[in-house]
């Protein structure tokens, strides 16, 4: 069966999610603020949940239509083929969000949609009572400028919950944001990646998962696994393909440090749980001291990706100044090093790095508006191709 699917994402990450969806072999329908709409079958639902790194959820779109009056909402939803998705014993809930719509009451919209689905299923199954003892289905009605979009969530817990964050620290970076930062940087296997204030390790762990080609959802489960819609064999096959795709052979050079020993211990534990503990070098060190001791050991073209403390997470202005001075001093002495940094500090270029960023991208880290600043280093020279050994 073919579906219209939606991968939701934080604002600013739509292009990243679009590339990921295309890499899965799915046809893109459109890209909008906070979501990418694409086509796919049952296997695509499983594959998207298992593989998408930057998306938050994978939804089945049941319909999209104008809804200015409650009857518009009720009648259109009632005529949708809910019996193809929800079985007789299915347990379903309805959530709602509304923005600039005439149907402003979210509770009333929820009741309208719930009633419409019940009537649709009652007609299809010839029953009036639904035990709701089976699998769960979360139906969402989103109203934006009098356009209603009806979706069903296939994911359950958000895709950012990879399952490896057993030991978090204060204000951790969402895994989906971390993966996107890596994908938007210059880093790839064969280059050195450094996170000089790694916290609980999100950035180096996500980099290692990417470098090893480990699907982020490989070891977790999803709400739609319990549905009759997607056979267990489909999930089994998609997971087998993901396991077979893991690259255990490519050398990785991923380094991380933090001044807090508790953060380093948390990061090590999280990396072990993610299966990449041996791929990351963790060091407990002050950033400035780390650079002073190891700057000469950083290979040419090293990529720094970092999430320094900002906003409410900044301990004091001295800490902020210390971080910026350390990074600036390093890049002034090592022109080949590129820095990719997310922060809410709008004075980073003027007072921090004292140079204009080569690129900027607005991102939302939770409810905090941030900017992903990209300071490009001098491109390292291309490696000469290997030459064949001369014959004796």
């Amino acid at each position: 069966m073919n579906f219209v699917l939606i991968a939701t994402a934080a604002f600013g990450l739509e292009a990243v999610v679009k590339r990921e969806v295309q890499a899965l072999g799915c046809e893109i329908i459109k890209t909008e603020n906070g979501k990418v709409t694409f086509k796919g079958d049952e296997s695509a639902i499983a594959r998207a949940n298992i593989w998408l790194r930057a998306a938050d959820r994978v939804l089945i779109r049941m319909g999209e239509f104008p809804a200015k009056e409650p009857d518009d909402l009720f009648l259109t939803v009632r005529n949708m083929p809910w019996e193809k998705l929800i079985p007789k014993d299915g347990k379903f809930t309805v959530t709602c969000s509304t923005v600039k719509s005439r149907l402003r009451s979210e509770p009333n919209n929820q009741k309208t949609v719930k009633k419409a689905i019940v009537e649709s299923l009652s007609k299809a199954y010839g029953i009036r009572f639904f035990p709701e003892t089976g699998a769960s289905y979360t139906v969402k009605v989103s109203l934006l400028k009098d356009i209603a979009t009806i979706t069903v969530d296939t994911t359950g817990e958000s895709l950012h919950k990879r399952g490896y964050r057993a030991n978090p620290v204060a204000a951790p970076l969402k895994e989906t944001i971390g993966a996107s930062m890596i994908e938007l940087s210059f880093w790839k296997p064969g280059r050195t990646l450094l996170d000089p204030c790694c916290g609980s390790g999100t950035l180096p762990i996500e980099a290692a998962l990417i470098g090893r080609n480990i699907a982020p959802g490989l070891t977790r489960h999803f709400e739609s696994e319990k549905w009759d819609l997607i056979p267990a064999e489909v999930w089994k096959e998609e997971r087998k393909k993901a396991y077979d795709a893991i690259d255990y052979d490519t050398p990785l050079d991923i380094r991380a440090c933090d001044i807090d020993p508790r953060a380093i211990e948390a990061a090590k534990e999280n990396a072990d749980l993610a299966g990449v503990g041996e791929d990351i070098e963790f060091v407990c060190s002050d950033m400035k001291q780390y650079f002073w001791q190891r700057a000469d050991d950083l290979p040419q073209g090293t990529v720094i990706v970092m999430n320094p403390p900002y906003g409410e997470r900044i301990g004091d202005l001295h800490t902020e100044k210390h971080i910026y001075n350390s990074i600036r001093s390093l890049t002034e002495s090592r022109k080949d090093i590129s820095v990719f940094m997310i922060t809410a500090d709008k004075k980073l270029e003027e007072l921090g790095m004292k140079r204009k960023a080569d690129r900027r991208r607005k991102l939302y880290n939770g409810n905090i508006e941030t900017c992903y600043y990209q300071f490009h280093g001098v491109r390292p020279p291309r490696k000469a191709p290997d030459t064949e050994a001369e014959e004796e």
Side-chain angles (χ1 to χ4, degrees):
M1 185 184 301
N2 289 319
F3 303 93
V4 174
L5 304 172
I6 296 174
T8 64
F11 288 108
L13 299 184
E14 297 88 354
V16 179
V17 174
K18 179 181 178 180
R19 288 195 293 270
E20 291 182 350
V21 170
Q22 289 174 323
L24 297 179
C26 299
E27 179 185 346
I28 302 294
I29 297 175
K30 59 181 177 179
T31 302
E32 304 168 274
N33 287 339
K35 62 182 182 180
V36 176
T37 305
F38 60 103
K39 294 180 180 179
D41 58 9
E42 293 89 345
S43 295
I45 294 174
R47 192 160 60 250
N49 276 296
I50 290 170
W51 275 104
L52 291 181
R53 299 183 190 276
D56 292 322
R57 296 184 178 279
V58 179
L59 312 175
I60 296 174
R61 193 185 77 181
M62 298 296 292
E64 188 171 276
F65 53 92
K68 298 180 180 180
E69 303 293 337
D71 280 351
D72 299 333
L73 191 60
F74 177 80
L75 294 174
T76 307
V77 171
R78 188 182 63 178
N79 290 331
M80 292 176 179
W82 292 101
E83 71 281 0
K84 293 183 179 180
L85 181 63
I86 303 176
K88 291 181 180 180
D89 63 348
K91 178 183 178 181
F92 66 95
T93 57
V94 179
T95 64
C96 178
S97 65
T98 178
V99 178
K100 298 179 180 178
S101 174
R102 300 184 197 186
L103 300 176
R104 292 189 294 271
S105 174
E106 294 180 358
N108 287 344
N109 294 334
Q110 288 174 251
K111 292 177 183 178
T112 298
V113 171
K114 178 84 172 183
K115 182 179 178 182
I117 296 174
V118 168
E119 288 202 11
S120 175
L121 293 175
S122 294
K123 182 179 179 180
Y125 294 127
I127 58 176
R128 298 298 301 175
F129 174 75
F130 295 89
E132 294 193 301
T133 56
S136 296
Y137 300 79
T138 300
V139 179
K140 181 171 183 178
V141 52
S142 302
L143 285 147
L144 174 62
K145 297 180 180 179
D146 296 330
I147 299 296
T149 303
I150 309 298
T151 58
V152 181
D153 180 23
T154 73
T155 301
E157 280 197 314
S158 174
L159 291 176
H160 83 271
K161 295 189 177 182
R162 316 286 206 222
Y164 64 71
R165 196 189 292 281
N167 198 344
V169 296
L173 185 72
K174 283 181 67 174
E175 294 86 337
T176 46
I177 299 289
S180 300
M181 290 172 62
I182 300 299
E183 293 186 343
L184 290 168
S185 76
F186 289 161
W187 182 79
K188 59 183 179 180
R191 299 184 74 166
T192 299
L193 182 137
L194 169 63
D195 180 358
C197 46
C198 68
S200 58
T202 302
L203 285 168
I205 291 172
E206 290 297 324
L209 291 174
I210 291 171
R212 288 275 168 256
N213 199 35
I214 298 174
L218 186 56
T219 59
R220 59 161 289 182
H221 293 281
F222 307 95
E223 194 62 52
S224 52
E225 285 188 70
K226 305 170 187 175
W227 298 357
D228 296 336
L229 180 72
I230 309 176
E233 291 76 15
V234 169
W235 290 100
K236 183 178 180 180
E237 179 64 22
E238 291 300 328
R239 282 200 170 89
K240 182 181 183 301
K241 290 178 182 178
Y243 274 113
D244 292 343
I246 297 175
D247 178 2
Y248 293 107
D249 301 321
T250 299
L252 298 179
D253 186 2
I254 301 174
R255 312 179 189 187
C257 78
D258 199 283
I259 194 173
D260 185 352
R262 294 170 300 178
I264 290 296
E265 288 304 311
K268 288 181 178 179
E269 183 178 353
N270 292 339
D272 287 340
L273 287 171
V276 293
E278 296 183 358
D279 296 313
I280 306 168
E281 177 192 69
F282 289 105
V283 176
C284 184
S285 173
D286 172 77
M287 183 187 300
K288 184 176 181 180
Q289 183 180 7
Y290 183 92
F291 291 156
W292 180 73
Q293 292 177 336
R294 298 179 174 235
D296 293 338
D297 295 332
L298 293 175
Q300 204 170 32
T302 290
V303 176
I304 292 177
V305 185
M306 58 187 297
N307 172 39
Y310 54 81
E312 296 178 357
R313 299 169 61 240
I314 294 178
D316 51 55
L317 293 176
H318 175 74
T319 301
E320 178 186 25
K321 186 176 180 180
H322 176 72
I323 290 172
Y324 293 161
N325 287 344
S326 300
I327 290 291
R328 187 176 68 250
S329 296
L330 176 67
T331 54
E332 286 175 350
S333 63
R334 289 288 304 273
K335 303 292 187 182
D336 59 294
I337 290 178
S338 299
V339 177
F340 297 80
M341 185 187 312
I342 187 173
T343 179
D345 183 3
K346 296 183 178 180
K347 296 183 179 180
L348 170 66
E349 294 169 293
E350 178 185 358
L351 301 179
M353 297 296 287
K354 296 186 177 179
R355 59 179 276 203
K356 288 289 186 182
D358 294 283
R359 296 193 68 181
R360 305 171 195 82
R361 180 185 290 264
K362 184 187 294 186
L363 298 177
Y364 280 86
N365 185 13
N367 294 324
I368 302 175
E369 180 182 325
T370 67
C371 186
Y372 189 41
Y373 293 95
Q374 305 179 29
F375 300 94
H376 300 170
V378 176
R379 184 188 296 272
R382 292 181 178 272
K383 293 182 180 179
D386 293 335
T387 56
E388 296 182 358
E390 295 182 359
E391 295 183 358
E392 296 182 355

Coordinates of all heavy atoms in Angstrom, one line a residue, residues 118-180:
V118 N -15.0 7.6 14.9 CA -15.9 6.6 15.5 C -17.0 6.2 14.5 O -17.3 5.0 14.3 CB -16.4 7.0 16.8 CG1 -17.6 6.1 17.3 CG2 -15.3 7.1 17.9
E119 N -17.6 7.2 13.9 CA -18.7 6.9 13.0 C -18.2 6.2 11.7 O -18.9 5.3 11.2 CB -19.4 8.2 12.6 CG -20.3 8.8 13.7 CD -21.3 9.8 13.1 OE1 -21.5 9.8 11.9 OE2 -22.0 10.5 13.9
S120 N -17.0 6.6 11.3 CA -16.4 5.9 10.1 C -16.2 4.4 10.4 O -16.5 3.5 9.6 CB -15.1 6.6 9.7 OG -14.5 5.9 8.7
L121 N -15.6 4.1 11.6 CA -15.3 2.8 11.9 C -16.5 2.0 12.2 O -16.6 0.8 11.9 CB -14.3 2.8 13.1 CG -12.9 3.3 12.9 CD1 -12.1 3.3 14.2 CD2 -12.2 2.5 11.9
S122 N -17.5 2.6 12.8 CA -18.8 1.9 13.1 C -19.4 1.5 11.9 O -20.0 0.3 11.8 CB -19.7 2.9 13.9 OG -19.2 3.2 15.2
K123 N -19.4 2.3 10.8 CA -20.0 1.9 9.6 C -19.2 0.8 8.9 O -19.8 -0.2 8.3 CB -20.1 3.1 8.6 CG -20.7 2.8 7.3 CD -20.8 4.1 6.4 CE -21.4 3.8 5.1 NZ -21.4 5.0 4.2
A124 N -17.9 0.9 9.0 CA -17.0 -0.1 8.3 C -17.1 -1.5 9.0 O -17.2 -2.5 8.3 CB -15.6 0.3 8.3
Y125 N -17.2 -1.5 10.3 CA -17.2 -2.8 11.1 C -18.6 -3.2 11.5 O -18.7 -4.3 12.0 CB -16.3 -2.7 12.3 CG -14.8 -2.5 11.9 CD1 -14.0 -1.5 12.5 CD2 -14.2 -3.4 11.1 CE1 -12.7 -1.3 12.2 CE2 -12.8 -3.2 10.8 CZ -12.1 -2.2 11.3 OH -10.8 -2.1 11.0
G126 N -19.6 -2.4 11.4 CA -20.9 -2.7 11.8 C -21.1 -2.9 13.3 O -21.9 -3.7 13.8
I127 N -20.3 -2.1 14.1 CA -20.4 -2.2 15.6 C -20.4 -0.8 16.1 O -20.1 0.2 15.4 CB -19.2 -2.9 16.2 CG1 -17.8 -2.2 15.8 CG2 -19.2 -4.4 15.8 CD1 -16.6 -2.9 16.4
R128 N -20.9 -0.6 17.4 CA -21.0 0.7 18.0 C -20.1 0.8 19.2 O -19.7 1.9 19.6 CB -22.5 0.9 18.5 CG -23.5 1.0 17.4 CD -23.3 2.1 16.4 NE -23.3 3.4 17.1 CZ -23.0 4.5 16.4 NH1 -22.7 4.5 15.1 NH2 -23.1 5.7 17.1
F129 N -19.7 -0.4 19.7 CA -18.8 -0.3 20.9 C -17.4 -0.8 20.5 O -17.2 -1.8 19.8 CB -19.3 -1.3 22.0 CG -18.4 -1.4 23.2 CD1 -18.2 -0.4 24.1 CD2 -17.6 -2.5 23.3 CE1 -17.3 -0.5 25.1 CE2 -16.7 -2.7 24.4 CZ -16.6 -1.6 25.3
F130 N -16.4 0.0 20.9 CA -15.0 -0.3 20.5 C -14.2 -0.6 21.8 O -14.1 0.3 22.7 CB -14.3 0.8 19.8 CG -15.0 1.0 18.4 CD1 -16.1 1.9 18.3 CD2 -14.5 0.4 17.3 CE1 -16.7 2.1 17.0 CE2 -15.1 0.5 16.0 CZ -16.2 1.4 15.9
P131 N -13.7 -1.8 22.0 CA -13.0 -2.1 23.3 C -11.7 -1.3 23.5 O -11.3 -1.1 24.7 CB -12.7 -3.6 23.2 CG -12.7 -3.9 21.7 CD -13.7 -2.9 21.1
E132 N -11.0 -0.9 22.4 CA -9.8 -0.2 22.5 C -8.7 -0.9 23.4 O -8.1 -0.3 24.2 CB -10.0 1.3 23.1 CG -10.8 2.1 22.1 CD -10.8 3.6 22.5 OE1 -11.2 3.9 23.6 OE2 -10.4 4.4 21.6
T133 N -8.6 -2.2 23.2 CA -7.6 -3.0 23.9 C -6.4 -3.3 23.1 O -5.5 -4.0 23.6 CB -8.3 -4.3 24.4 OG1 -8.8 -5.0 23.2 CG2 -9.4 -4.0 25.4
G134 N -6.4 -2.9 21.8 CA -5.3 -3.2 20.9 C -4.2 -2.1 20.9 O -4.0 -1.4 21.8
A135 N -3.5 -2.1 19.7 CA -2.4 -1.1 19.5 C -2.9 0.3 19.6 O -4.1 0.6 19.4 CB -1.8 -1.4 18.2
S136 N -2.0 1.2 19.9 CA -2.4 2.6 20.0 C -2.1 3.4 18.7 O -1.1 3.1 17.9 CB -1.5 3.3 21.1 OG -1.8 2.7 22.3
Y137 N -3.0 4.3 18.4 CA -2.9 5.2 17.2 C -3.1 6.6 17.7 O -4.1 6.9 18.3 CB -3.9 4.8 16.2 CG -3.8 3.4 15.7 CD1 -4.3 2.3 16.5 CD2 -3.2 3.1 14.5 CE1 -4.2 1.0 16.0 CE2 -3.1 1.8 14.0 CZ -3.6 0.8 14.8 OH -3.5 -0.5 14.4
T138 N -2.1 7.5 17.4 CA -2.3 8.9 17.7 C -2.6 9.7 16.5 O -1.8 9.8 15.6 CB -1.0 9.5 18.4 OG1 -0.7 8.7 19.6 CG2 -1.2 10.9 18.7
V139 N -3.8 10.2 16.4 CA -4.3 11.0 15.3 C -4.1 12.5 15.7 O -4.5 12.9 16.8 CB -5.8 10.7 15.0 CG1 -6.3 11.6 13.8 CG2 -6.0 9.3 14.7
K140 N -3.6 13.3 14.7 CA -3.4 14.7 15.0 C -4.1 15.5 13.9 O -3.9 15.2 12.7 CB -1.9 15.1 15.1 CG -1.7 16.6 15.4 CD -0.3 17.0 15.7 CE -0.2 18.4 16.0 NZ 1.2 18.9 16.4
V141 N -4.8 16.5 14.3 CA -5.4 17.5 13.4 C -4.7 18.8 13.6 O -4.6 19.3 14.7 CB -6.9 17.6 13.6 CG1 -7.3 17.9 15.1 CG2 -7.5 18.7 12.7
S142 N -4.1 19.2 12.5 CA -3.3 20.5 12.5 C -4.0 21.5 11.6 O -4.3 21.2 10.4 CB -1.9 20.3 12.0 OG -1.2 19.3 12.8
L143 N -4.4 22.6 12.2 CA -5.1 23.6 11.4 C -4.3 24.9 11.3 O -3.8 25.5 12.3 CB -6.4 24.0 12.1 CG -7.5 22.9 12.0 CD1 -8.4 22.9 13.2 CD2 -8.4 23.2 10.8
L144 N -4.0 25.2 10.0 CA -3.1 26.4 9.7 C -3.8 27.2 8.7 O -4.0 26.7 7.5 CB -1.7 26.0 9.3 CG -0.8 27.1 8.8 CD1 -0.6 28.1 10.0 CD2 0.5 26.5 8.3
K145 N -4.3 28.4 9.0 CA -5.0 29.3 8.1 C -6.1 28.6 7.4 O -6.3 28.6 6.1 CB -4.0 29.8 7.1 CG -2.9 30.7 7.7 CD -1.9 31.2 6.6 CE -0.8 32.1 7.3 NZ 0.1 32.6 6.3
D146 N -7.0 27.9 8.2 CA -8.2 27.2 7.7 C -7.9 26.0 6.8 O -8.8 25.5 6.1 CB -9.1 28.2 7.0 CG -9.6 29.3 7.9 OD1 -9.8 29.0 9.1 OD2 -9.9 30.4 7.4
I147 N -6.6 25.5 6.8 CA -6.3 24.3 6.1 C -6.0 23.2 7.2 O -5.2 23.4 8.0 CB -5.1 24.4 5.2 CG1 -5.4 25.5 4.1 CG2 -4.7 23.1 4.5 CD1 -6.5 25.1 3.2
A148 N -6.8 22.1 7.1 CA -6.6 21.0 8.1 C -5.8 19.9 7.5 O -6.0 19.5 6.3 CB -8.0 20.5 8.5
T149 N -4.8 19.5 8.3 CA -4.0 18.3 7.9 C -4.2 17.2 9.0 O -4.0 17.5 10.2 CB -2.5 18.7 7.8 OG1 -2.3 19.7 6.9 CG2 -1.7 17.5 7.4
I150 N -4.7 16.1 8.5 CA -5.0 15.0 9.4 C -3.8 13.9 9.3 O -3.6 13.4 8.2 CB -6.3 14.3 9.2 CG1 -7.4 15.4 9.1 CG2 -6.6 13.2 10.2 CD1 -7.6 16.1 10.4
T151 N -3.2 13.6 10.4 CA -2.1 12.6 10.3 C -2.2 11.6 11.4 O -2.9 11.8 12.4 CB -0.7 13.4 10.5 OG1 -0.7 14.1 11.7 CG2 -0.5 14.3 9.3
V152 N -1.5 10.5 11.2 CA -1.4 9.5 12.3 C 0.1 9.2 12.5 O 0.9 9.0 11.6 CB -2.0 8.2 11.8 CG1 -1.9 7.1 13.0 CG2 -3.5 8.4 11.5
D153 N 0.5 9.3 13.8 CA 2.0 9.1 14.1 C 2.4 7.7 14.1 O 1.8 6.8 14.7 CB 2.2 9.7 15.5 CG 3.6 9.6 16.0 OD1 4.5 9.5 15.1 OD2 3.8 9.7 17.2
T154 N 3.4 7.4 13.3 CA 4.0 6.0 13.3 C 5.1 5.8 14.3 O 5.6 4.7 14.4 CB 4.5 5.7 11.9 OG1 5.7 6.4 11.6 CG2 3.5 6.0 10.8
T155 N 5.6 6.9 14.9 CA 6.9 6.8 15.6 C 6.7 6.5 17.1 O 7.4 5.6 17.6 CB 7.7 8.1 15.4 OG1 7.9 8.4 14.1 CG2 9.0 8.1 16.2
G156 N 5.8 7.2 17.8 CA 5.8 7.0 19.2 C 6.7 8.0 19.9 O 6.6 9.2 19.6
E157 N 7.6 7.6 20.7 CA 8.6 8.5 21.3 C 9.4 9.1 20.2 O 9.7 8.5 19.2 CB 9.5 7.8 22.3 CG 8.9 7.6 23.6 CD 9.9 7.2 24.7 OE1 10.8 6.4 24.4 OE2 9.9 7.8 25.8
S158 N 9.7 10.4 20.3 CA 10.4 11.1 19.3 C 11.7 10.4 18.8 O 12.3 9.7 19.6 CB 10.8 12.5 19.8 OG 11.6 13.2 18.9
L159 N 12.0 10.6 17.5 CA 13.2 10.0 17.0 C 14.5 10.4 17.6 O 15.5 9.7 17.4 CB 13.2 10.2 15.4 CG 12.1 9.6 14.6 CD1 12.3 10.0 13.2 CD2 12.2 8.1 14.7
H160 N 14.5 11.6 18.3 CA 15.7 12.0 18.9 C 16.1 11.1 20.1 O 17.3 11.1 20.5 CB 15.7 13.4 19.4 CG 15.0 13.7 20.7 ND1 13.6 13.9 20.8 CD2 15.5 13.7 22.0 CE1 13.3 14.0 22.1 NE2 14.4 13.9 22.8
K161 N 15.2 10.3 20.6 CA 15.5 9.4 21.7 C 16.1 8.1 21.2 O 15.4 7.1 21.0 CB 14.2 9.1 22.5 CG 13.7 10.4 23.2 CD 12.5 10.1 24.1 CE 12.1 11.4 24.8 NZ 11.0 11.2 25.8
R162 N 17.4 8.2 20.9 CA 18.1 7.0 20.3 C 18.2 5.9 21.3 O 18.3 4.7 20.9 CB 19.5 7.4 20.0 CG 19.7 8.8 19.3 CD 19.2 8.8 17.8 NE 19.9 9.8 17.0 CZ 19.3 10.6 16.1 NH1 18.0 10.4 15.9 NH2 20.0 11.4 15.4
G163 N 18.2 6.2 22.6 CA 18.3 5.1 23.6 C 19.7 5.0 24.3 O 19.9 4.2 25.1
Y164 N 20.6 5.9 23.9 CA 22.0 5.8 24.5 C 22.2 6.8 25.6 O 23.2 6.8 26.2 CB 23.1 5.9 23.4 CG 23.1 7.2 22.7 CD1 23.6 8.4 23.3 CD2 22.8 7.3 21.3 CE1 23.6 9.6 22.6 CE2 22.9 8.5 20.6 CZ 23.3 9.7 21.3 OH 23.4 10.8 20.6
R165 N 21.3 7.7 25.8 CA 21.5 8.8 26.7 C 21.1 8.3 28.1 O 20.0 8.7 28.7 CB 20.8 10.1 26.4 CG 21.3 11.3 27.1 CD 20.4 12.5 26.9 NE 20.4 13.0 25.6 CZ 21.4 13.8 25.1 NH1 22.4 14.1 25.8 NH2 21.3 14.2 23.8
A166 N 21.8 7.4 28.7 CA 21.5 6.9 30.0 C 22.0 7.9 31.1 O 21.5 7.9 32.2 CB 22.1 5.5 30.3
N167 N 23.0 8.7 30.8 CA 23.6 9.6 31.8 C 23.7 11.0 31.2 O 24.8 11.4 30.7 CB 25.0 9.0 32.1 CG 25.5 9.6 33.4 OD1 25.0 10.6 33.9 ND2 26.6 9.0 34.0
P168 N 22.7 11.8 31.2 CA 22.7 13.1 30.7 C 23.4 14.1 31.6 O 23.5 13.8 32.8 CB 21.2 13.5 30.4 CG 20.5 12.7 31.5 CD 21.3 11.4 31.7
V169 N 23.7 15.3 31.1 CA 24.2 16.4 31.9 C 23.2 17.5 31.7 O 22.2 17.4 30.9 CB 25.6 16.8 31.5 CG1 26.6 15.7 31.8 CG2 25.7 17.2 30.1
A170 N 23.5 18.7 32.3 CA 22.6 19.8 32.2 C 22.5 20.3 30.7 O 23.5 20.3 30.0 CB 23.0 20.9 33.1
A171 N 21.2 20.6 30.3 CA 20.9 21.2 29.0 C 21.6 20.4 27.9 O 22.4 20.9 27.1 CB 21.4 22.6 29.0
P172 N 21.3 19.1 27.7 CA 21.9 18.3 26.6 C 21.3 18.8 25.3 O 20.2 19.2 25.2 CB 21.5 16.9 27.0 CG 20.2 17.0 27.7 CD 20.3 18.3 28.5
L173 N 22.2 18.6 24.3 CA 21.8 18.9 22.9 C 20.9 17.8 22.4 O 21.3 16.6 22.5 CB 23.0 19.1 22.0 CG 22.8 19.5 20.6 CD1 22.4 21.0 20.5 CD2 24.1 19.4 19.8
K174 N 19.8 18.1 21.7 CA 19.0 17.0 21.1 C 19.8 16.3 20.1 O 20.5 16.9 19.3 CB 17.7 17.6 20.5 CG 16.6 17.9 21.5 CD 15.4 18.5 20.8 CE 14.7 17.4 20.0 NZ 13.4 17.9 19.4
E175 N 19.6 14.9 20.1 CA 20.4 14.1 19.1 C 20.1 14.5 17.7 O 21.1 14.4 16.9 CB 20.1 12.6 19.4 CG 20.5 12.1 20.7 CD 19.5 12.3 21.9 OE1 18.7 13.3 21.8 OE2 19.6 11.6 22.9
T176 N 18.9 14.8 17.4 CA 18.6 15.2 16.0 C 19.3 16.5 15.6 O 19.8 16.6 14.4 CB 17.1 15.4 15.8 OG1 16.6 16.2 16.9 CG2 16.3 14.1 15.8
I177 N 19.4 17.5 16.5 CA 20.2 18.7 16.2 C 21.7 18.3 16.0 O 22.3 18.8 15.1 CB 20.0 19.7 17.3 CG1 18.5 20.1 17.5 CG2 20.9 20.9 17.1 CD1 18.0 20.9 16.4
G178 N 22.2 17.5 16.9 CA 23.6 17.1 16.9 C 23.9 16.4 15.6 O 24.9 16.8 14.9
A179 N 23.1 15.5 15.1 CA 23.3 14.8 13.9 C 23.3 15.8 12.7 O 24.1 15.7 11.8 CB 22.3 13.7 13.6
S180 N 22.4 16.7 12.7 CA 22.3 17.7 11.7 C 23.5 18.6 11.6 O 24.0 19.0 10.5 CB 21.0 18.6 11.9 OG 19.9 17.8 11.9

